[in-house]
Amino acid sequence: MYIGNVMKSFCLMALALTSVSVFAAPGKLSNFNPDISLVLDARLAFMENSSEGYELPGFMLGGEAGVSEQGFSLGHSELSLSSNIDDLYFGKFTMAITEHDGESTTEIEEAFIQSLALGEGFTLLAGRFFSGIGYQNSQHAHAQSFSDSPLVYSAMFGNNLIEDGLQITWLAPTDLFVQLGAESLSGKRYPSAGGGNEGKGAWSVFSKVGGDVNESHSWQLGLNYFEADVQGRESGGHSHEGEAEAETPSFSGDSNVVGLDFVWKWAPLGNVKVENVVFQTEVFKREEEGVVSMLNSTPLEESTVKSDQLGWYAQVVHQFKPQWKWGARYGRLKSDNTGSDEDILSEAGLDDEGISPNRSSVMLQFSHSEFSRIRVQYNQDNSYEDKDRQLFLHYTMSLGAHGAHAF
């Protein structure tokens, strides 16, 4: 019923916009009509293991971390409206439509305004947005080169760090690309959770430097820092025999993440249409200190915890013909978690079980145009004790206006 009401609202909105375009003067259409785009995403997954038993030893999962469901399912479809509001502001609204446990859910993924004329290289963004830290974090799922997120993004950000807040960036007036940014965030969403400090519980800073080596080669290097006051970040529940309600691990404390990302691109004489290669790698290190509580336990079970967690991935994607790409990716995690009660840490998923989770992926992709994509991907997933082999058949189709992607 909720999905139906949401889609009905969007249909009425689209009808109203169409009515405006029919009766408005031709020269004023762009003043009233936002760009509307719909990204359709679906997949067929074959896996040896059940998605319900997925875990990452040493990490408390949250957000949208996990693997696709077996068989046919919706992926990550998006409905977006965007437009210049006037000569000073740009606005965008994106609703994500996903499927979890056989049920479709909707979420406001983006809802922000962005300045257009601050001058001096400054840009201000306010609302809900993808954080600027890292390289891949700011990319929508349909713009990414693989059908799932790198392990380190799943472990530390629940696939993507999306927050409500304020972001300011500065672009240096130099031949070398230099961008500095800072964000003040609510801290209400994963991985912060809880909104400590009266809804201003997280912040970040990031920098990006890049340029051209020659006509065929370009690069970009990024440095990132994220800090949060975590208040009650819950993970998956753990049921025990004889208990009516699952005990849910919850973490409260301080969390900070340091990251480094690097991207190198090659295209003969800058012509990306015929052939190009993109190499990207990111590494994140997270330190956390606080208390883990097992909610619904009687009496309440708690343990202090100090975590030192590291994750990275590297991937290469080669467009060898105008419509064809292949890619390979490898990612790995490592954790060192200590606390006052090892049993509670184990129940919370913070025992690494002597495993360094890792995953290898290869993919082949066909794009008839920039608006359509069909992909087949194979994973050798060694994320936890039960090793898994996964095969995805995946399509992504874009309808309507869609802006260019960043570097």
Side-chain angles (χ1 to χ4, degrees):
M1 181 66 70
Y2 177 68
I3 300 295
N5 291 335
V6 170
M7 297 308 296
K8 181 178 179 181
S9 299
F10 267 98
C11 289
L12 292 173
M13 186 186 301
L15 181 61
L17 292 169
T18 303
S19 300
V20 171
S21 67
V22 171
F23 297 103
K28 298 182 178 180
L29 293 182
S30 61
N31 293 334
F32 297 96
N33 283 355
D35 291 331
I36 302 176
S37 68
L38 174 63
V39 177
L40 301 177
D41 185 287
R43 63 192 64 195
L44 172 61
F46 302 92
M47 296 178 289
E48 293 181 341
N49 298 339
S50 169
S51 60
E52 295 180 358
Y54 185 76
E55 60 176 328
L56 284 177
F59 296 82
M60 294 174 62
L61 294 183
E64 298 183 3
V67 294
S68 295
E69 295 183 1
Q70 187 82 262
F72 293 99
S73 66
L74 288 177
H76 191 95
S77 298
E78 296 177 354
L79 185 60
S80 297
L81 289 80
S82 62
S83 177
N84 286 359
I85 298 168
D86 50 31
D87 60 325
L88 295 181
Y89 306 105
F90 167 84
K92 185 175 183 180
F93 177 89
T94 301
M95 177 167 288
I97 306 164
T98 59
E99 189 174 59
H100 296 288
D101 298 326
E103 296 185 1
S104 297
T105 61
T106 61
E107 179 187 17
I108 297 176
E109 194 170 70
E110 292 177 305
F112 65 81
I113 60 171
Q114 184 177 17
S115 67
L116 297 175
L118 280 185
E120 303 298 329
F122 286 96
T123 300
L124 193 64
L125 190 148
R128 177 170 297 178
F129 51 84
F130 288 80
S131 171
I133 70 169
Y135 177 72
Q136 184 164 300
N137 187 76
S138 59
Q139 298 176 1
H140 287 249
H142 66 265
Q144 298 174 11
S145 300
F146 289 82
S147 298
D148 51 5
S149 296
L151 274 179
V152 64
Y153 270 89
S154 296
M156 297 191 181
F157 303 122
N159 287 353
N160 280 100
L161 176 57
I162 304 174
E163 269 283 10
D164 301 343
L166 187 68
Q167 179 193 90
I168 186 168
T169 58
W170 176 69
L171 183 63
T174 58
D175 292 336
L176 185 70
F177 172 75
V178 178
Q179 183 186 58
L180 305 178
E183 297 168 336
S184 178
L185 308 170
S186 70
K188 296 178 181 179
R189 298 164 60 89
Y190 188 90
S192 305
N197 300 323
E198 299 180 346
K200 302 182 291 296
W203 61 276
S204 72
V205 290
F206 55 89
S207 63
K208 303 181 188 301
V209 180
D212 297 329
V213 177
N214 53 38
E215 292 181 334
S216 302
H217 300 266
S218 57
W219 62 278
Q220 180 176 286
L221 176 68
L223 296 173
N224 316 275
Y225 180 79
F226 169 80
E227 185 172 302
D229 178 9
V230 183
Q231 302 287 338
R233 185 183 70 204
E234 296 184 9
S235 184
H238 294 253
S239 299
H240 297 275
E241 186 177 353
E243 291 180 343
E245 193 172 6
E247 295 182 0
T248 303
S250 174
F251 171 77
S252 295
D254 298 324
S255 177
N256 66 78
V257 180
V258 178
L260 173 71
D261 57 85
F262 177 75
V263 182
W264 170 78
K265 295 186 177 184
W266 169 84
L269 300 179
N271 184 3
V272 298
K273 293 183 178 179
V274 178
E275 184 179 12
N276 66 80
V277 175
V278 179
F279 169 81
Q280 68 185 65
T281 183
E282 299 186 67
V283 57
F284 292 98
K285 186 177 187 299
R286 179 168 68 183
E287 294 182 349
E288 294 189 328
E289 188 169 1
V291 176
V292 171
S293 304
M294 300 301 296
L295 305 182
N296 304 320
S297 61
T298 306
L300 182 65
E301 300 177 359
E302 291 186 328
S303 172
T304 61
V305 62
K306 186 174 183 179
S307 296
D308 189 350
Q309 302 169 334
L310 179 70
W312 64 273
Y313 78 92
Q315 71 182 50
V316 61
V317 176
H318 177 205
Q319 178 180 305
F320 57 95
K321 289 186 177 182
Q323 296 176 321
W324 289 90
K325 291 182 179 180
W326 73 270
R329 182 185 66 191
Y330 179 79
R332 195 174 189 89
L333 302 172
K334 183 179 180 181
S335 64
D336 181 13
N337 308 312
T338 58
S340 57
D341 191 320
E342 295 297 328
D343 291 336
I344 293 178
L345 296 188
S346 179
E347 289 186 76
L350 292 173
D351 182 358
D352 66 9
E353 302 175 14
I355 297 173
S356 292
N358 64 90
R359 180 189 294 156
S360 303
S361 306
V362 291
M363 71 84 178
L364 180 66
Q365 174 180 304
F366 172 76
S367 298
H368 177 67
S369 70
E370 60 183 307
F371 302 103
S372 66
R373 179 178 68 209
I374 298 175
R375 176 188 294 148
V376 57
Q377 178 176 321
Y378 172 79
N379 289 347
Q380 179 65 49
D381 193 338
N382 303 319
S383 299
Y384 59 112
E385 184 178 2
D386 296 328
K387 295 179 173 55
D388 197 10
R389 290 183 293 181
Q390 305 160 350
L391 180 66
F392 305 107
L393 302 177
H394 179 198
Y395 75 70
T396 305
M397 306 288 168
S398 299
L399 292 73
H402 194 76
H405 297 133
F407 178 87

